[in-house]
Amino acid sequence: MDANDRSIAGFTMTGHALVHWFETSIPILLVVWLAEFDVSVALLGLVVALGYAPFGLGALPGGILADRYGTKRLILCCLAGMSLAFLIISFGTSIYAVGVGLVLWGIAASVYHPAGLSLISTGVEERGTVFAWHGIAGNVGIALGPFVAATLLIFLEWQLVTAILAVPGILAVLYGLTADFDPTAAVADDVAAGANEALSLSDLTENSRVLFASAFALVFVIVTFEGLYYRGMLTYLPEILHDLPAMDGLAIPAGLEGIEPSHYIYVGLLVVGMGGQYVGGKLTDRVEPARGLVALFAVFVLLALAFIPVTQMGLGAVIVLCGVFGFFLFAIQPFYQDAVAVYTPPDTRGLSYGYTYLGEFGLGSASIAVGGVVLGEFSITVFFLVIAAFALAGAVLSVGLLSGFGRFSGPEPQYETSADD
């Protein structure tokens, strides 16, 4: 990578890690708030849901703002806004004050993915490699957020812990202000010159019409099904692991009675996902994104079905399957991120990623409601069959994308080949 690629990589990796650092610390704090404010689980769940909702729904306006005001500026506002939100939460004296802070966090966090991915897609030459490192950084944040929050809560009051969690975000803003890079180094000069021009409502409507009249419409639906699979599995897998027969009767060493083995398996899954992110990102430089999506969705189907018999097996089988699942679950992300870059014009990249994460985090969250009903009314087997159906739909749609249906009429993407190819 050249100096510009490295600078953008460092800036976006920091932002991505911190978005998920904040995101995954919230469920840990929720347990404390439940006792602190003496409220019902239903009320607290509603308050937290109101904080998470803008995280997905705000992706589309975030993409529009990225195209209008510039990606670096928007990412800095995101980092500052998330840190400020957690500082507000740290001063909360009621669940409603905490709710205000959570809503502000969700609004600030929502703009990161369209802005960060747009910056990589227009500023980086070795796009696949940076997508991979960017994804790995997100996994680091996913794993460290709950770990650090839970550890600090052993020694400190939740208000101080929340304030401490905001410190890395503040430091990241200071670092970002000094970061120097060209955000349009990887696109043509005429595209770069037209970037950040104000979009009228008619321009926005026309750009959206052009996007959804192309292969991007198919990419959007594919990403939505990936989001349904991703959200459903990661939301309910900790609970499923906790109730497995393999977890019964495990000997916990003296002094560590509070340790929950299923949580460590879950964190391990996320850590393995870093490897999947890296391998997937490197492969996007060699494999057409549609072809990679077909293969990975097919693997998703098999993995979801494999959980049905493995949940009745021993601990070793469960750990192995979770490790394989974590690797492939995150390996797909660089492929759909690259698909957006391949099937959309550069000057609407922020808008494109805004729609993408509206599907991933917004529409994809519907599987949380669907999964809850299925697990409550039916069984784990039916749950995994439903999840497998999401992946099967994604595979079928990816075959359509591979066939070239509705391909955006831009330059044909080129992929590296080795001397042996």
Side-chain angles (χ1 to χ4, degrees), residues 80-93:
M82 292 191 299
S83 302
L84 177 61
F86 263 58
L87 289 175
I88 290 173
I89 292 172
S90 72
F91 287 101
T93 56

Side-chain angles (χ1 to χ4, degrees), residues 30-41:
L30 183 149
V31 179
V32 180
W33 294 331
L34 192 61
E36 176 76 12
F37 299 114
D38 192 25
V39 295
S40 68
V41 176

